[in-house]
Amino acid sequence: MATTTERNGTGRGLGARLRATSKVLPEHARAHNRSLVLQHLFHEGPTSRADLARATSLTRVTISDLVSVLITEGLVEELGTRPGQRVGKPAILVGLRTDAYQIVAVDLTEYGRMRGAVLSLTGEIMVRRQLDIDGRTGDELVDLLTRFVRRLVAAAIHPVIGVGVGSPGIIDLDGRVVEAPNRGWYDVPLAEILGDRMGLPVHVANDANTAALGEFTYGGGSSGMLVVTVGAGVGAGIVVDGVRLHGQGDAAGEIGHVTVVDHGECACGRVGCLETVLSVPALRRAIADRTPEDSDAALASAGRVLGVTLAPVVSALNLTEVLLSGPRDLLDGPLREAALDTIRQRTMPAINSGLQLRMAALDEDVVLAGAAVLVLSAQLGVS
Ligand SMILES: [Zn+2]
């Protein structure tokens, strides 16, 4: 499995980068240049102004101005000269002050508890907290989440640049929860409510999409991948050509309620959804009181259903990787192998020859890491 460090090749970088998608308009040029500089420092580590100019194709004058502003803002600092340099005037390196700021991240994936963390800008978890949800939904859950975020912000030892939240449900680009039935949230402007209460920038996104961001930036995920999250429900986050897909209704990756079998009532009111086969409760039920052989056969059967479901998706998007995020004892064995075999049988060699189907790298911290990327991306233009 490729690690982030291997892929960057330098050992100093901090993760993969999402490609900029929007066309640069003149009025956005300054913000764009600023994010180019921050992006380079984030991924490549301390760099001289001359090397920054070369790497970003900006002029030396533009770089000097930008770096001065970033130093004044406290985001960047001068770090002395590069050791071992012998010829000419030694160039002063500038670097991101990754230890001067922190990020607060919350994972709402689990039904029974919320998990939270204070992270450094490099994605290192400095503080962990969790809180039982005790069946709260709706406004009560928003209030509980507010108290939880307040506790996390108080636990930070450096200024917090923003709060990231990964939540189940359909969530638009402004962090409004359009629909999260399990939470009793319908049309709740969660990012705005939390932002007003905390006085901090707050970013909210779907948990599976957040997981995809975490795997892409910190977990060595490739630029064409789908992360299937398997928990109380089933979801997916998709990155194509280095860009996270949103979809016209912000619901890209909602594969949990695609009909895949002709039996089994689903919480959504329909019959035979993928969630009735692949969610953790469904898989646990399928292997309960079985012999090891029967249990392997049941998991392989669920894997074949997943493979049938994903083959057209993998083909349509020509993905390189499918990552499974969830309990290893259920997913990383007959289920994963059967899913890959099934996708191979049902797709062309041009699609499946390089295809990998592996476990996600970040395990249970994947949503927290992705929530931190939401903040980095929105506040600094770094991802
Ligand atoms: Zn359903």
Side-chain angles (χ1 to χ4, degrees):
M1 179 165 49
T3 67
T4 303
T5 306
E6 279 162 5
R7 196 173 41 177
N8 284 324
T10 62
R12 286 173 292 133
L14 300 169
R17 59 190 67 189
L18 286 175
R19 239 172 51 187
T21 50
S22 50
K23 205 169 162 207
V24 182
L25 300 169
E27 65 266 32
H28 296 143
R30 192 174 176 81
H32 178 75
N33 292 346
R34 172 193 166 93
S35 95
L36 281 179
V37 169
L38 289 171
Q39 184 93 325
H40 185 86
L41 295 176
F42 180 77
H43 291 287
E44 307 301 332
T47 308
S48 70
R49 289 174 176 80
D51 287 342
L52 271 177
R54 270 189 287 276
T56 57
S57 302
L58 297 172
T59 66
R60 293 285 298 269
V61 173
T62 304
I63 290 291
S64 286
D65 287 352
L66 276 169
V67 168
S68 299
V69 170
L70 291 168
I71 288 174
T72 309
E73 289 177 20
L75 278 170
V76 163
E77 63 188 338
E78 291 195 329
L79 295 164
T81 55
R82 193 187 296 282
Q85 185 168 330
R86 283 159 301 182
V87 187
K89 185 177 162 222
I92 294 168
L93 299 178
V94 295
L96 205 55
R97 294 182 67 210
T98 48
D99 54 354
Y101 297 92
Q102 292 183 320
I103 296 170
V104 163
V106 177
D107 174 4
L108 296 177
T109 308
E110 285 182 47
Y111 190 66
R113 60 172 183 164
M114 46 181 87
R115 301 175 65 235
V118 178
L119 296 96
S120 71
L121 297 196
T122 56
E124 195 183 344
I125 293 184
M126 317 302 285
V127 175
R128 282 176 192 278
R129 295 274 191 275
Q130 62 175 51
L131 186 62
D132 286 340
I133 289 174
D134 283 333
R136 286 182 183 79
T137 56
D139 290 345
E140 272 190 6
L141 186 58
V142 175
D143 292 343
L144 188 71
L145 177 61
T146 307
R147 289 200 291 278
F148 188 53
V149 169
R150 204 163 269 146
R151 264 174 58 197
L152 286 163
V153 171
I157 56 168
H158 294 297
V160 171
I161 62 165
V163 178
V165 179
S167 166
I170 295 172
I171 298 168
D172 74 12
L173 288 174
D174 297 325
R176 172 184 292 267
V177 181
V178 178
E179 185 183 344
N182 291 340
R183 305 292 181 218
W185 286 342
Y186 297 92
D187 201 24
V188 176
L190 190 58
E192 190 187 322
I193 295 172
L194 284 175
D196 287 348
R197 291 181 181 177
M198 300 304 304
L200 281 169
V202 176
H203 306 279
V204 182
N206 169 271
D207 52 354
N209 282 278
T210 307
L213 281 182
E215 283 294 327
F216 183 70
T217 299
Y218 294 122
S222 77
S223 60
M225 63 161 194
L226 180 147
V227 180
V228 182
T229 55
V230 178
V234 174
I238 305 167
V239 173
V240 172
D241 296 341
V243 177
R244 175 166 71 105
L245 294 191
H246 296 279
Q248 54 103 9
D250 301 298
E254 282 290 340
I255 59 168
H257 298 282
V258 169
T259 306
V260 294
V261 290
D262 58 9
H263 53 86
E265 259 176 54
C266 182
C268 76
R270 295 183 303 148
V271 168
C273 295
L274 182 62
E275 217 163 271
T276 67
V277 177
L278 195 70
S279 67
V280 169
L283 291 172
R284 295 259 179 246
R285 273 196 305 277
I287 63 171
D289 306 320
R290 299 279 190 106
T291 64
E293 292 76 26
D294 287 352
S295 148
D296 281 359
L299 292 172
S301 163
R304 279 191 293 276
V305 170
L306 177 63
V308 170
T309 312
L310 290 185
V313 180
V314 168
S315 289
L317 302 175
N318 193 2
L319 301 173
T320 317
E321 286 188 310
V322 174
L323 274 55
L324 301 181
S325 177
R328 276 179 188 273
D329 64 311
L330 295 173
L331 304 177
D332 193 13
L335 188 153
R336 186 175 62 76
E337 287 154 20
L340 181 57
D341 286 347
T342 306
I343 296 173
R344 287 227 169 99
Q345 285 158 16
R346 288 171 168 253
T347 53
M348 292 168 67
I351 296 294
N352 67 38
S353 59
L355 180 71
Q356 293 211 44
L357 202 160
R358 62 176 174 89
M359 293 300 294
L362 299 177
D363 279 338
E364 63 169 9
D365 288 333
V366 63
V367 174
L368 291 175
V373 177
L374 283 178
V375 175
L376 278 174
S377 161
Q379 299 307 123
L380 303 183
V382 164
S383 57

